[in-house]
Coordinates of all heavy atoms in Angstrom, one line a residue:
N98 N 38.7 2.9 121.8 CA 40.0 2.5 121.3 C 41.3 3.3 121.7 O 42.3 2.9 121.5 CB 40.0 2.2 119.8 CG 39.0 1.1 119.5 OD1 38.9 0.1 120.2 ND2 38.2 1.3 118.4
G99 N 40.9 4.4 122.2 CA 42.0 5.4 122.6 C 41.4 6.6 123.4 O 40.2 6.8 123.2
Q100 N 42.2 7.3 124.2 CA 41.8 8.5 124.9 C 42.9 9.2 125.3 O 44.0 8.6 125.7 CB 40.9 7.9 126.1 CG 40.5 9.1 126.9 CD 39.5 8.4 128.1 OE1 39.2 7.2 128.2 NE2 39.0 9.3 129.0
F101 N 42.9 10.5 125.2 CA 44.0 11.4 125.9 C 43.3 12.7 126.4 O 42.4 13.3 125.8 CB 45.0 11.6 124.9 CG 44.8 12.4 123.6 CD1 44.8 13.7 123.5 CD2 44.4 11.6 122.5 CE1 44.5 14.3 122.3 CE2 44.2 12.1 121.3 CZ 44.2 13.7 121.2
D102 N 44.1 13.3 127.3 CA 43.7 14.6 128.0 C 44.2 15.7 127.1 O 45.3 15.8 126.7 CB 44.4 14.6 129.3 CG 44.2 15.8 130.0 OD1 42.9 16.4 130.1 OD2 45.1 16.3 130.7
T103 N 43.2 16.7 126.7 CA 43.7 17.8 126.0 C 44.4 18.9 126.9 O 45.1 19.8 126.4 CB 42.5 18.5 125.2 OG1 41.5 19.0 126.3 CG2 41.7 17.4 124.4
A104 N 44.0 18.9 128.3 CA 44.7 19.9 129.1 C 46.3 19.8 129.0 O 47.0 20.8 129.1 CB 44.2 19.8 130.5
S105 N 46.7 18.5 128.9 CA 48.2 18.4 128.7 C 48.8 19.0 127.5 O 49.9 19.2 127.4 CB 48.4 16.8 128.7 OG 48.1 16.2 127.6
L106 N 47.9 19.3 126.5 CA 48.3 20.0 125.3 C 48.2 21.6 125.4 O 48.9 22.2 124.7 CB 47.5 19.6 124.1 CG 47.2 18.1 123.7 CD1 46.1 17.9 122.6 CD2 48.6 17.5 123.2
G107 N 47.4 21.9 126.4 CA 47.2 23.3 126.7 C 45.9 23.7 126.4 O 45.5 25.0 126.5
S108 N 45.0 22.8 126.0 CA 43.6 23.0 125.7 C 42.6 22.7 126.9 O 42.5 21.6 127.2 CB 43.3 22.2 124.6 OG 41.9 22.4 124.2
S109 N 42.1 23.7 127.6 CA 41.1 23.5 128.7 C 39.8 23.7 128.4 O 38.9 23.3 129.1 CB 41.4 24.6 129.7 OG 41.2 25.9 129.2
N110 N 39.5 24.0 127.1 CA 38.0 24.0 126.6 C 38.0 23.6 125.1 O 37.7 24.6 124.3 CB 37.4 25.4 126.9 CG 36.0 25.5 126.8 OD1 35.4 24.3 126.5 ND2 35.3 26.6 127.0
P111 N 38.4 22.5 124.7 CA 38.2 22.2 123.3 C 36.9 22.0 122.8 O 35.9 21.4 123.5 CB 38.9 20.7 123.4 CG 38.6 20.1 124.7 CD 38.5 21.3 125.6
T112 N 36.7 22.6 121.7 CA 35.3 22.7 121.1 C 35.1 22.0 119.7 O 34.1 21.6 119.3 CB 34.8 24.1 121.0 OG1 35.8 24.9 120.3 CG2 34.5 24.7 122.4
G113 N 36.3 21.9 119.0 CA 36.2 21.4 117.7 C 37.4 20.3 117.5 O 38.4 20.6 118.0
I114 N 37.2 19.4 116.5 CA 38.3 18.5 116.1 C 38.2 18.3 114.7 O 37.1 18.1 114.2 CB 38.2 17.3 117.1 CG1 39.5 16.4 117.0 CG2 37.0 16.5 117.0 CD1 39.7 15.4 118.0
T115 N 39.4 17.8 114.1 CA 39.3 17.4 112.7 C 40.5 16.4 112.5 O 41.5 16.4 113.2 CB 39.4 18.5 111.7 OG1 39.2 17.9 110.5 CG2 40.6 19.3 111.7
F116 N 40.5 15.7 111.5 CA 41.6 14.9 111.2 C 42.3 15.3 109.9 O 41.6 15.5 108.9 CB 41.2 13.4 111.0 CG 42.2 12.3 110.6 CD1 43.1 11.9 111.6 CD2 42.3 11.9 109.4 CE1 44.1 11.1 111.3 CE2 43.3 10.9 109.0 CZ 44.2 10.6 110.1
A117 N 43.6 15.4 109.9 CA 44.3 15.8 108.6 C 44.7 14.5 108.0 O 45.6 13.8 108.4 CB 45.5 16.7 109.1
A118 N 44.2 14.4 106.8 CA 44.3 13.2 106.0 C 45.7 13.3 105.0 O 46.0 12.2 104.5 CB 43.2 12.8 105.2
S119 N 46.2 14.5 104.9 CA 47.3 14.6 104.0 C 48.1 15.8 104.4 O 47.7 16.7 105.3 CB 46.8 14.7 102.5 OG 45.9 15.9 102.4
G120 N 49.2 16.0 103.8 CA 50.0 17.3 103.9 C 50.9 17.2 105.1 O 51.2 16.1 105.8
K121 N 51.3 18.5 105.6 CA 52.4 18.5 106.7 C 51.8 17.8 108.0 O 52.7 17.3 108.7 CB 52.5 20.0 106.9 CG 53.4 20.4 108.1 CD 53.6 21.9 108.2 CE 54.4 22.2 109.5 NZ 54.4 23.7 109.6
Y122 N 50.6 17.9 108.2 CA 50.0 17.3 109.5 C 49.2 16.0 109.2 O 48.4 15.6 110.1 CB 49.0 18.4 110.1 CG 49.7 19.7 110.5 CD1 49.4 20.8 109.9 CD2 50.7 19.6 111.6 CE1 50.2 22.0 110.2 CE2 51.2 20.7 111.9 CZ 51.0 22.0 111.2 OH 51.5 23.2 111.6
S123 N 49.6 15.4 108.2 CA 48.9 14.0 107.9 C 48.9 13.0 108.9 O 50.1 12.9 109.6 CB 49.7 13.4 106.6 OG 49.0 12.3 106.4
G124 N 47.8 12.5 109.3 CA 47.6 11.4 110.3 C 47.5 12.1 111.7 O 47.4 11.3 112.6
N125 N 47.4 13.4 111.8 CA 47.2 14.0 113.2 C 45.8 14.6 113.3 O 45.1 14.8 112.2 CB 48.3 15.2 113.3 CG 49.6 14.7 113.5 OD1 50.0 14.0 114.5 ND2 50.5 14.9 112.6
L126 N 45.5 14.9 114.5 CA 44.2 15.6 114.9 C 44.5 17.1 115.2 O 45.6 17.3 115.7 CB 43.6 14.9 116.1 CG 43.2 13.5 115.9 CD1 42.9 12.8 117.3 CD2 42.0 13.3 115.1
A127 N 43.6 17.9 114.7 CA 43.7 19.3 115.2 C 42.5 19.6 115.9 O 41.3 19.3 115.6 CB 43.7 20.2 113.9
I128 N 42.9 20.2 117.2 CA 41.8 20.6 118.1 C 41.7 22.0 118.4 O 42.8 22.6 118.6 CB 42.1 19.8 119.5 CG1 42.3 18.3 119.3 CG2 41.2 20.2 120.6 CD1 42.9 17.7 120.3
V129 N 40.6 22.7 118.2 CA 40.4 24.1 118.5 C 39.8 24.4 119.8 O 39.1 23.6 120.4 CB 39.6 24.9 117.5 CG1 38.1 24.3 117.5 CG2 39.7 26.3 117.5
D130 N 40.4 25.4 120.6 CA 40.0 25.7 121.8 C 39.4 27.1 122.0 O 40.1 28.1 121.6 CB 41.2 25.5 122.9 CG 40.9 25.6 124.3 OD1 40.4 26.8 124.7 OD2 40.9 24.7 125.1
V131 N 38.3 27.3 122.4 CA 37.5 28.6 122.5 C 38.1 29.4 123.6 O 38.0 30.7 123.4 CB 36.0 28.4 122.6 CG1 35.7 27.9 124.0 CG2 35.2 29.6 122.2
N132 N 38.8 28.9 124.7 CA 39.2 29.8 125.7 C 40.7 30.5 125.4 O 40.8 31.5 125.7 CB 39.2 29.1 127.1 CG 37.8 29.0 127.7 OD1 36.9 29.5 127.1 ND2 37.7 28.1 128.7
V133 N 41.5 29.6 124.8 CA 42.8 30.1 124.6 C 43.0 30.5 123.2 O 44.2 31.0 122.8 CB 43.8 29.0 125.0 CG1 43.8 28.8 126.6 CG2 43.7 27.8 124.2
D134 N 42.1 30.5 122.3 CA 42.1 30.8 120.9 C 43.3 30.3 120.1 O 44.1 31.0 119.6 CB 42.1 32.4 120.8 CG 40.9 33.0 121.4 OD1 39.9 32.4 121.4 OD2 40.8 34.3 121.7
E135 N 43.5 28.9 120.2 CA 44.5 28.2 119.7 C 44.0 26.9 119.0 O 43.1 26.3 119.5 CB 45.7 28.0 120.6 CG 46.5 29.2 121.0 CD 47.8 28.8 121.8 OE1 47.6 28.4 122.8 OE2 48.8 29.2 121.3
V136 N 44.8 26.6 118.1 CA 44.6 25.1 117.4 C 45.9 24.4 117.9 O 47.0 24.7 117.9 CB 44.5 25.2 116.0 CG1 44.6 23.7 115.4 CG2 43.2 25.9 115.4
F137 N 45.5 23.2 118.4 CA 46.6 22.3 118.8 C 46.5 21.0 117.9 O 45.5 20.4 117.8 CB 46.3 21.7 120.5 CG 46.2 22.9 121.3 CD1 45.0 23.6 121.6 CD2 47.4 23.2 122.0 CE1 45.0 24.5 122.5 CE2 47.3 24.2 122.9 CZ 46.3 25.0 123.1
V138 N 47.7 20.8 117.4 CA 47.8 19.5 116.6 C 48.5 18.5 117.2 O 49.6 18.7 117.9 CB 48.6 19.9 115.2 CG1 48.8 18.7 114.3 CG2 48.0 21.1 114.4
S139 N 47.8 17.4 117.3 CA 48.3 16.3 118.1 C 48.3 15.0 117.4 O 47.3 14.8 116.4 CB 47.2 16.0 119.4 OG 47.5 14.9 120.0
N140 N 49.1 14.0 117.7 CA 48.8 12.7 117.1 C 47.8 12.0 117.8 O 47.2 12.5 118.8 CB 50.3 11.9 117.0 CG 50.8 11.5 118.5 OD1 50.1 11.6 119.4 ND2 52.1 11.1 118.6
T141 N 47.5 10.7 117.3 CA 46.2 10.0 118.0 C 46.6 9.5 119.3 O 45.6 9.1 120.0 CB 45.7 9.0 117.1 OG1 46.9 8.1 116.6 CG2 45.2 9.6 115.8
S142 N 47.7 9.8 119.8 CA 48.2 9.2 121.1 C 48.2 10.5 122.1 O 48.3 10.3 123.4 CB 49.5 8.6 121.2 OG 49.6 7.4 120.4
G143 N 47.9 11.6 121.5 CA 47.9 12.9 122.5 C 49.2 13.6 122.6 O 49.3 14.4 123.6
L144 N 50.2 13.4 121.7 CA 51.4 14.0 121.8 C 51.4 15.2 120.9 O 51.1 15.2 119.7 CB 52.5 13.1 121.5 CG 52.9 11.9 122.3 CD1 53.9 11.1 121.7 CD2 53.3 12.4 123.8
L145 N 51.6 16.4 121.4 CA 51.5 17.6 120.8 C 52.5 17.7 119.7 O 53.8 17.3 119.8 CB 51.8 18.9 121.7 CG 51.8 20.3 121.1 CD1 50.2 20.5 120.7 CD2 52.1 21.3 122.2
Q146 N 52.1 18.1 118.5 CA 53.0 18.2 117.2 C 53.2 19.6 116.9 O 54.2 20.0 116.4 CB 52.4 17.4 116.1 CG 52.0 15.9 116.5 CD 53.3 15.1 116.7 OE1 54.2 15.0 115.9 NE2 53.3 14.4 117.8
D147 N 52.2 20.5 117.1 CA 52.4 21.8 116.8 C 51.1 22.6 117.5 O 50.1 22.0 117.8 CB 52.3 21.9 115.2 CG 52.9 23.3 114.7 OD1 53.2 24.3 115.6 OD2 52.8 23.5 113.5
K148 N 51.2 23.9 117.3 CA 50.0 24.6 117.7 C 50.2 26.1 117.0 O 51.2 26.5 116.7 CB 49.8 24.8 119.3 CG 51.0 25.7 120.0 CD 50.6 25.7 121.5 CE 51.7 26.6 122.2 NZ 51.4 26.8 123.6

Side-chain angles (χ1 to χ4, degrees):
N98 296 321
Q100 180 177 351
F101 63 87
D102 180 39
T103 62
S105 64
L106 303 172
S108 174
S109 61
N110 194 5
T112 52
I114 190 167
T115 192
F116 179 77
S119 60
K121 176 181 177 180
Y122 298 113
S123 181
N125 289 296
L126 297 165
I128 301 158
V129 67
D130 187 295
V131 69
N132 282 353
V133 296
D134 297 337
E135 288 190 298
V136 171
F137 300 89
V138 180
S139 164
N140 66 17
T141 54
S142 298
L144 297 174
L145 184 66
Q146 306 297 304
D147 201 357
K148 68 179 181 175

